[in-house]
C-alpha cells in the first residue's frame, strides 16, 4: 500500500511538472509571436511613414532610451524619439522602401529582445536615393499584457580604414 502511494505521488508530480512545463513553453511561443508582431507593426509604420504607428511599438514615456545612427545618436524619452522620426521623414519626403531580415526573438516572462537587419531605400526632395542596412537590437518589457520596446540600439558598421559608415554591409 505504501509503495502504491509513492508511485501515485510520483505520477502526480510528473503530471504536474509536465503541465507546468507545457504551459511555460506555450507562453514562450506566444511571447515570441507577440514580439514578432510588434516588429512587423513597426515595419508597416516605417514603410507608411506613420509616426503614430511606429511609436505605438515603444513605451510612451520618458523611460525610452535609444541609440540611433543619426545625430545626436542618443534619444531619451518618447517625445525625443518621435521628433527623430518626424525629422527623418521630412528629410526624405519621397518614396520609402523597407524590409527586414534575420529577425531573432528571445523572451522570458516580462523581458525580451529582438535583433534584426532593416534594409531601407529613402528618397530625398531631389529624387536622390539613399540605401542603408541598419542593425537593430530592441529590448522589450511586457507590462499590462503588452510587449513594448524600452531600449533600442541601431548601428551600421564602420570602415576603420576610411572612418566612414558602411551603410550596405550585412552580416
Amino acid at each position: 500500500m505504501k509503495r502504491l502511494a509513492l508511485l501515485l505521488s510520483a505520477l502526480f508530480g510528473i503530471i504536474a511538472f509536465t503541465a507546468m512545463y507545457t504551459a511555460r513553453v506555450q507562453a514562450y511561443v506566444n511571447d515570441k509571436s507577440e514580439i514578432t508582431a510588434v516588429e512587423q507593426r513597426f515595419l508597416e509604420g516605417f514603410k507608411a511613414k506613420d509616426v503614430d504607428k511606429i511609436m505605438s511599438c515603444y513605451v510612451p514615456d520618458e523611460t525610452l532610451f535609444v541609440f540611433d545612427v543619426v545625430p545626436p545618436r542618443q534619444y531619451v524619452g518618447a517625445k525625443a524619439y518621435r521628433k527623430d522620426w518626424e525629422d527623418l521623414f521630412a528629410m526624405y519626403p519621397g518614396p520609402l522602401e523597407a524590409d527586414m531580415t534575420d529577425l531573432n526573438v528571445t523572451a522570458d516572462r516580462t523581458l525580451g529582445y529582438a535583433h534584426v537587419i532593416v534594409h531601407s531605400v529613402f528618397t530625398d526632395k531631389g529624387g536622390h536615393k539613399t540605401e542603408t542596412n541598419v542593425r537593430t537590437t530592441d529590448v522589450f518589457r511586457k507590462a499590462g499584457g503588452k510587449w513594448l520596446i524600452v531600449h533600442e540600439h541601431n548601428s551600421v558598421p564602420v570602415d576603420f580604414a576610411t572612418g566612414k559608415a558602411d551603410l550596405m554591409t550585412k552580416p
Side-chain angles (χ1 to χ4, degrees), residues 69 131-135 155-160 162-171:
V69 294
E131 190 170 3
T132 65
N133 284 310
V134 174
R135 304 173 300 180
S155 66
V156 293
V158 173
D159 178 343
F160 282 106
T162 66
K164 294 185 179 194
D166 179 354
L167 300 178
M168 292 309 300
T169 295
K170 287 181 73 173

Side-chain angles (χ1 to χ4, degrees), residues 21-48:
Y21 178 77
T22 301
R24 183 63 208 132
V25 167
Q26 186 58 46
Y28 176 74
V29 169
N30 290 344
D31 289 342
K32 284 183 69 170
S33 295
E34 291 169 14
I35 289 173
T36 299
V38 173
E39 292 288 355
Q40 190 60 45
R41 185 171 74 239
F42 165 84
L43 184 65
E44 291 166 3
F46 180 55
K47 288 164 55 171

Side-chain angles (χ1 to χ4, degrees), residues 5-90:
L6 279 170
L7 282 172
L8 286 174
S9 179
L11 179 62
F12 289 132
I14 291 169
I15 291 170
F17 173 79
T18 302
M20 287 188 318
Y21 178 77
T22 301
R24 183 63 208 132
V25 167
Q26 186 58 46
Y28 176 74
V29 169
N30 290 344
D31 289 342
K32 284 183 69 170
S33 295
E34 291 169 14
I35 289 173
T36 299
V38 173
E39 292 288 355
Q40 190 60 45
R41 185 171 74 239
F42 165 84
L43 184 65
E44 291 166 3
F46 180 55
K47 288 164 55 171
K49 298 182 180 181
D50 183 341
V51 177
D52 289 334
K53 191 168 191 171
I54 290 169
M55 293 306 297
S56 75
C57 301
Y58 298 87
V59 290
D61 55 36
E62 298 311 293
T63 63
L64 177 63
F65 190 89
V66 177
F67 286 122
D68 206 358
V69 294
V70 295
R73 294 187 188 86
Q74 176 178 305
Y75 298 88
V76 178
K79 287 180 192 172
Y81 201 42
R82 171 182 284 279
K83 183 167 181 347
D84 181 39
W85 284 109
E86 291 166 348
D87 291 348
L88 177 71
F89 293 145

